[in-house]
Coordinates of all heavy atoms in Angstrom, one line a residue:
S112 N 22.5 -10.1 5.1 CA 22.4 -9.6 6.5 C 21.4 -10.5 7.3 O 21.1 -11.5 6.8 CB 22.0 -8.2 6.7 OG 20.8 -8.0 6.1
S113 N 21.1 -10.1 8.5 CA 20.3 -11.0 9.4 C 18.8 -11.0 8.7 O 18.4 -10.0 8.1 CB 20.1 -10.4 10.7 OG 21.3 -10.4 11.4
S114 N 18.2 -12.2 8.8 CA 16.9 -12.5 8.1 C 15.8 -11.5 8.7 O 15.9 -11.2 9.9 CB 16.5 -13.9 8.4 OG 15.2 -14.2 7.7
L115 N 14.9 -11.1 7.9 CA 13.7 -10.4 8.3 C 12.6 -11.3 8.6 O 12.3 -12.2 7.7 CB 13.3 -9.3 7.2 CG 14.4 -8.2 6.8 CD1 14.0 -7.3 5.6 CD2 14.7 -7.3 8.1
L116 N 11.8 -11.1 9.6 CA 10.6 -12.1 9.9 C 9.4 -11.4 9.2 O 9.1 -10.3 9.5 CB 10.5 -12.2 11.3 CG 9.3 -13.0 11.8 CD1 9.5 -14.4 11.3 CD2 9.3 -13.1 13.3
F117 N 8.8 -12.2 8.4 CA 7.5 -11.8 7.7 C 6.4 -12.5 8.1 O 6.0 -13.4 7.4 CB 7.8 -11.8 6.2 CG 6.6 -11.4 5.3 CD1 5.9 -10.3 5.7 CD2 6.5 -12.0 4.0 CE1 4.9 -10.0 4.8 CE2 5.6 -11.6 3.2 CZ 4.7 -10.5 3.6
P118 N 5.6 -12.0 9.2 CA 4.3 -12.8 9.5 C 3.3 -12.3 8.4 O 3.1 -11.1 8.2 CB 4.0 -12.1 10.8 CG 5.2 -11.4 11.3 CD 5.8 -11.0 10.1
C119 N 2.6 -13.3 7.8 CA 1.8 -12.9 6.7 C 0.5 -13.8 6.7 O 0.4 -14.7 7.6 CB 2.5 -13.0 5.4 SG 3.3 -14.8 5.2
G120 N -0.3 -13.6 5.7 CA -1.6 -14.4 5.5 C -1.3 -15.5 4.4 O -0.4 -15.5 3.7
A121 N -2.2 -16.5 4.5 CA -2.0 -17.6 3.6 C -2.2 -17.2 2.1 O -1.7 -17.9 1.2 CB -3.1 -18.6 3.9
L122 N -2.8 -16.1 1.9 CA -3.0 -15.7 0.5 C -2.0 -14.5 0.0 O -2.2 -13.9 -0.9 CB -4.5 -15.1 0.2 CG -5.6 -16.1 0.5 CD1 -6.9 -15.3 0.3 CD2 -5.5 -17.3 -0.3
K123 N -0.9 -14.5 0.7 CA 0.0 -13.4 0.3 C 0.5 -13.5 -1.1 O 0.7 -14.7 -1.5 CB 1.1 -13.4 1.3 CG 2.2 -14.6 1.0 CD 3.5 -14.4 1.9 CE 4.6 -15.4 1.5 NZ 4.3 -16.8 1.1
R124 N 0.9 -12.4 -1.7 CA 1.6 -12.6 -3.1 C 2.9 -12.7 -2.8 O 3.6 -12.6 -1.8 CB 1.3 -11.2 -3.8 CG -0.1 -10.9 -4.1 CD -0.4 -9.5 -4.5 NE 0.2 -9.3 -5.9 CZ 0.8 -8.3 -6.4 NH1 1.0 -7.2 -5.4 NH2 1.3 -8.2 -7.5
E125 N 3.7 -13.1 -3.9 CA 5.2 -13.4 -3.9 C 6.0 -12.3 -4.3 O 7.3 -12.5 -4.5 CB 5.5 -14.6 -4.7 CG 4.8 -16.0 -4.1 CD 5.3 -16.2 -2.8 OE1 6.5 -16.0 -2.4 OE2 4.5 -16.6 -1.9
V126 N 5.3 -11.0 -4.6 CA 6.2 -9.9 -5.0 C 7.2 -9.5 -4.1 O 8.3 -9.3 -4.4 CB 5.3 -8.7 -5.2 CG1 6.1 -7.5 -5.7 CG2 4.2 -9.1 -6.3
L127 N 6.9 -9.3 -2.8 CA 7.9 -8.9 -1.7 C 9.0 -10.0 -1.6 O 10.2 -9.6 -1.7 CB 7.2 -8.6 -0.5 CG 8.2 -8.1 0.7 CD1 8.8 -6.7 0.3 CD2 7.3 -7.9 1.9
P128 N 8.6 -11.3 -1.3 CA 9.7 -12.2 -1.1 C 10.7 -12.4 -2.3 O 11.8 -12.5 -2.2 CB 8.9 -13.6 -0.9 CG 7.7 -13.0 -0.3 CD 7.2 -11.8 -1.0
T129 N 10.0 -12.3 -3.6 CA 10.9 -12.6 -4.7 C 11.8 -11.4 -4.9 O 12.9 -11.6 -5.3 CB 9.8 -12.6 -6.0 OG1 9.0 -13.7 -5.9 CG2 10.7 -12.8 -7.3
A130 N 11.2 -10.1 -4.6 CA 12.2 -9.0 -4.8 C 13.3 -9.0 -3.9 O 14.5 -8.6 -4.3 CB 11.3 -7.6 -4.7
L131 N 13.1 -9.4 -2.7 CA 14.1 -9.4 -1.7 C 15.2 -10.5 -1.9 O 16.4 -10.2 -1.8 CB 13.5 -9.4 -0.3 CG 12.6 -8.3 0.3 CD1 12.3 -8.5 1.7 CD2 13.3 -7.0 0.0
K132 N 14.6 -11.6 -2.4 CA 15.5 -12.7 -2.8 C 16.5 -12.4 -3.8 O 17.8 -12.7 -3.8 CB 14.7 -13.9 -3.1 CG 15.5 -15.2 -3.5 CD 14.6 -16.3 -3.9 CE 15.3 -17.6 -4.1 NZ 14.6 -18.8 -4.4
E133 N 15.9 -11.7 -4.9 CA 16.8 -11.2 -6.0 C 18.0 -10.4 -5.6 O 19.1 -10.2 -6.2 CB 15.9 -10.6 -7.0 CG 15.0 -11.5 -7.8 CD 14.1 -10.8 -8.7 OE1 14.0 -9.5 -8.8 OE2 13.4 -11.4 -9.4
K134 N 17.7 -9.6 -4.5 CA 18.7 -8.7 -3.9 C 19.6 -9.3 -2.8 O 20.5 -8.7 -2.2 CB 18.1 -7.3 -3.5 CG 17.4 -6.6 -4.5 CD 18.3 -6.0 -5.5 CE 17.6 -5.1 -6.4 NZ 18.5 -4.5 -7.5
G135 N 19.3 -10.6 -2.6 CA 20.1 -11.2 -1.6 C 19.8 -10.8 -0.1 O 20.5 -11.1 0.8
I136 N 18.5 -10.4 0.1 CA 18.1 -9.9 1.5 C 17.2 -11.0 2.0 O 16.2 -11.4 1.4 CB 17.3 -8.7 1.4 CG1 18.3 -7.6 0.9 CG2 16.8 -8.4 2.8 CD1 17.6 -6.2 0.7
P137 N 17.7 -11.8 3.0 CA 16.9 -12.9 3.6 C 15.7 -12.6 4.2 O 15.6 -11.5 4.9 CB 17.8 -13.7 4.5 CG 18.8 -12.5 5.0 CD 19.0 -11.6 3.7
L138 N 14.5 -13.3 3.9 CA 13.2 -13.1 4.3 C 12.6 -14.3 4.9 O 12.6 -15.3 4.0 CB 12.3 -12.4 3.4 CG 10.9 -12.0 3.8 CD1 10.9 -10.8 4.7 CD2 10.0 -11.7 2.6
E139 N 12.2 -14.5 6.1 CA 11.6 -15.7 6.6 C 10.1 -15.5 6.8 O 9.8 -14.7 7.7 CB 12.1 -16.0 7.9 CG 11.7 -17.4 8.5 CD 12.4 -17.8 9.6 OE1 13.5 -17.4 10.0 OE2 11.8 -18.6 10.6
S140 N 9.3 -16.1 5.9 CA 7.8 -15.9 5.9 C 7.3 -17.0 6.9 O 7.6 -18.1 6.9 CB 7.2 -16.1 4.5 OG 7.8 -15.2 3.6

Side-chain angles (χ1 to χ4, degrees):
S112 56
S113 297
S114 180
L115 300 173
L116 180 59
F117 180 31
C119 56
L122 299 179
K123 80 175 191 306
R124 298 169 70 216
E125 293 301 320
V126 174
L127 181 63
T129 299
L131 296 187
K132 182 178 180 180
E133 290 175 351
K134 296 294 184 178
I136 298 174
L138 182 73
E139 184 177 334
S140 300

